[in-house]
Amino acid sequence: MASLSGIFPSNVVVEILAFLPARSLVRFRCVSKSWRSLLSEPYFVTKWLNRSGTSLLVVPLEYENHNLCSLVFENASVGKKNLNLPLGDKWFSISVIGSSSDGALICLSGLSYKHRRASKQAVILWSPSTGEVKVLPNRGCVHCHRWPVCTQSLIQGYNSACCSQYLVHGFGYEPNARDYKVVRITYSRGGVREADSPIRPSLVEVYSLGRNRWKSLGRPDFTWTVRGNSRAFVNGAAHWLAGPAVEAPYNSIVAFDMKEEKFGEVIELPQSENLTQFSLNPRGKATLSVSCGSLALIAFGIWNREECCIWVMKEYGVATSWTKKHHIVVPIGSTVRAALGLTRHGKLLLRMVDEKLVCCDVENMQISDVGIQGSGIDSSFDVIDLGGADPTVTNQVGRGSLLTIPNFP
């Protein structure tokens, strides 16, 4: 640092280093004590993260690439990193449930083959920095008459008419107990003719990493149908869109409080006449996300499917505080398959029909390619925003194991 400062002013050196990829910065920490100190400064880390933009973990859902994933940055100049999930060949499909705020702990859902037309689903905790994996299995099996056709639906927490049950998950941090928790809701069919019987919530369980065990909460005291793993952890709770029946449109939001380990009051959707112009069909594109720490609803038009609106709940739990924040029209020729949520920098992640991942600026409606393209029409992937962190380099600062130390910070 001193030698470079003799050639360039120190502020110029900082600017140069802030444009380098994470892998180079890890190597440069070994140059000298002054460089190690500089690269560890919160000021520099913040500067680098602001320049690199959001980091996204992309996990393929198809079997052929189930153990490969990518770390990409919203700013394509930062580069892309291929990651290998250390899960072996046991799992034929993987999806993302959630992650810690710094990306050091990632919660996945995995399907493994049990026997003909039956599979087992498990929660998988993965620390990219150490390579450690912790599997939290589910005791029962999912029986399916069309397996493996519906595996991508099952792994993401969606029901299929041919399956005996499906599992919905949520992941979050409980600061008072300094503990990460996973909630699992089991939806099952019952009756003599199981295939014709309705599917209902039958069991709620909570896993505590600090306690290292599952806790059964029994049958939930509601009959709402929720679909999809929660991607909206707000106010200490995981949230899902909910409907009164399997195929009924969403009309409310269900929340599970991680501290109290129970479901809270049902949250109403925006009571706006304009909302009737947008699809809340459970097989549509509507989803919940987080916008600047607030609960957000993303919905697409019924007639114009490339029209999208984002509502934000200004005051948590108060239905009258819903505000229509953004109205977006995707450019002609760009057809959206699904909205994957909002990044922490407020941009909308979209998966297109050609299986390309794009990022849409909600302010100017500019779409940018982030460098991920599915391998074919049947390929698909799951994405989660890590905020700007590169979880693969956190171990360079000597962080201990998140999966073996109870009550970690």
Side-chain angles (χ1 to χ4, degrees):
M1 183 75 177
S3 59
L4 277 180
S5 298
I7 303 173
F8 302 106
S10 58
N11 63 318
V12 175
V13 174
V14 170
E15 291 294 332
I16 294 172
L17 293 175
F19 273 85
L20 296 178
R23 189 176 297 274
S24 297
L25 295 180
V26 171
R27 294 202 310 269
F28 291 165
R29 288 168 61 88
C30 302
V31 171
S32 67
K33 289 183 178 180
S34 60
W35 276 48
R36 183 178 182 86
S37 176
L38 169 66
L39 298 178
S40 301
E41 283 289 334
Y43 161 77
F44 178 81
V45 173
T46 301
K47 188 178 188 67
W48 186 86
L49 292 177
N50 288 338
R51 183 198 63 80
S52 62
T54 295
S55 59
L56 307 171
L57 181 71
V58 183
V59 179
L61 297 178
E62 67 268 21
Y63 172 75
E64 291 79 3
N65 299 313
H66 71 284
N67 63 338
L68 299 175
C69 60
S70 301
L71 185 69
V72 297
F73 287 86
E74 180 187 330
N75 184 342
S77 65
V78 178
K80 168 182 158 184
K81 181 182 294 186
N82 293 323
L83 304 178
N84 185 35
L85 290 170
L87 305 179
D89 297 327
K90 178 179 180 180
W91 311 99
F92 60 80
S93 190
I94 297 290
S95 180
V96 183
I97 298 174
S99 76
S100 61
S101 59
D102 60 358
L105 184 64
I106 295 171
C107 185
L108 306 166
S109 177
L111 275 176
S112 63
Y113 177 73
K114 183 66 176 176
H115 53 77
R116 186 172 181 267
R117 293 182 178 177
S119 57
K120 290 187 73 69
Q121 188 169 354
V123 173
I124 304 168
L125 299 177
W126 171 44
S127 173
S129 62
T130 65
E132 292 176 285
V133 170
K134 191 180 190 71
V135 179
L136 315 175
N138 181 36
R139 291 187 296 271
C141 288
V142 179
H143 297 274
C144 179
H145 302 293
R146 299 178 59 202
W147 186 91
V149 175
C150 60
T151 56
Q152 290 190 11
S153 295
L154 284 175
I155 198 65
Q156 296 183 89
Y158 293 96
N159 68 299
S160 178
C162 60
C163 295
S164 61
Q165 69 174 31
Y166 72 100
L167 307 176
V168 177
H169 297 90
F171 176 78
Y173 181 63
E174 207 284 275
N176 291 332
R178 304 174 70 197
D179 192 10
Y180 281 101
K181 295 182 179 181
V182 182
V183 58
R184 177 167 65 198
I185 311 171
T186 300
Y187 279 78
S188 305
R189 299 184 189 277
V192 178
R193 298 187 61 184
E194 187 176 275
D196 298 329
S197 62
I199 193 162
R200 296 188 176 96
S202 58
L203 180 64
V204 178
E205 301 165 282
V206 178
Y207 174 82
S208 161
L209 185 56
R211 297 191 299 261
N212 191 29
R213 62 181 176 88
W214 285 99
K215 174 183 177 182
S216 175
L217 302 181
R219 185 184 295 272
D221 57 358
F222 64 83
T223 58
W224 298 98
T225 297
V226 301
R227 304 169 75 246
N229 294 324
S230 172
R231 291 299 178 81
F233 187 75
V234 179
N235 203 46
H239 298 76
W240 297 266
L241 285 169
V246 172
E247 297 298 333
Y250 295 128
N251 62 0
S252 58
I253 296 171
V254 170
F256 183 85
D257 189 296
M258 291 293 186
K259 178 183 178 182
E260 301 297 331
E261 296 187 349
K262 66 179 183 179
F263 289 94
E265 295 292 326
V266 173
I267 299 174
E268 296 181 6
L269 291 177
Q271 300 300 307
S272 168
E273 293 183 1
N274 292 332
L275 187 59
T276 60
Q277 303 174 19
F278 293 85
S279 174
L280 294 176
N281 186 296
R283 298 189 183 277
K285 303 172 187 175
T287 187
L288 294 177
S289 190
V290 182
S291 175
C292 299
S294 297
L295 191 62
L297 169 67
I298 305 169
F300 284 78
I302 296 175
W303 298 281
N304 181 2
R305 296 187 178 182
E306 311 318 317
E307 179 185 18
C308 170
C309 270
I310 301 173
W311 288 263
V312 176
M313 179 172 267
K314 295 293 186 180
E315 185 177 348
Y316 182 77
V318 180
T320 55
S321 70
W322 281 110
T323 303
K324 187 163 76 170
K325 193 75 175 290
H326 302 287
H327 180 257
I328 302 164
V329 178
V330 179
I332 296 175
S334 302
T335 306
V336 178
R337 182 183 294 274
L340 302 177
L342 295 165
T343 71
R344 298 182 203 186
H345 288 170
K347 296 188 178 181
L348 180 62
L349 289 173
L350 300 171
R351 187 170 72 225
M352 314 305 284
V353 292
D354 61 355
E355 289 303 329
K356 180 181 291 185
L357 177 63
V358 301
C359 195
C360 178
D361 191 315
V362 296
E363 299 295 341
N364 57 28
M365 289 187 281
Q366 294 296 311
I367 291 181
S368 58
D369 188 344
V370 296
I372 292 294
Q373 174 71 60
S375 58
I377 191 170
D378 294 325
S379 69
S380 192
F381 49 79
D382 203 1
V383 180
I384 192 165
D385 173 22
L386 301 182
D390 184 346
T392 64
V393 302
T394 55
N395 198 41
Q396 301 293 329
V397 296
R399 184 169 188 166
S401 169
L402 290 180
L403 299 181
T404 57
I405 301 176
N407 297 326
F408 49 82

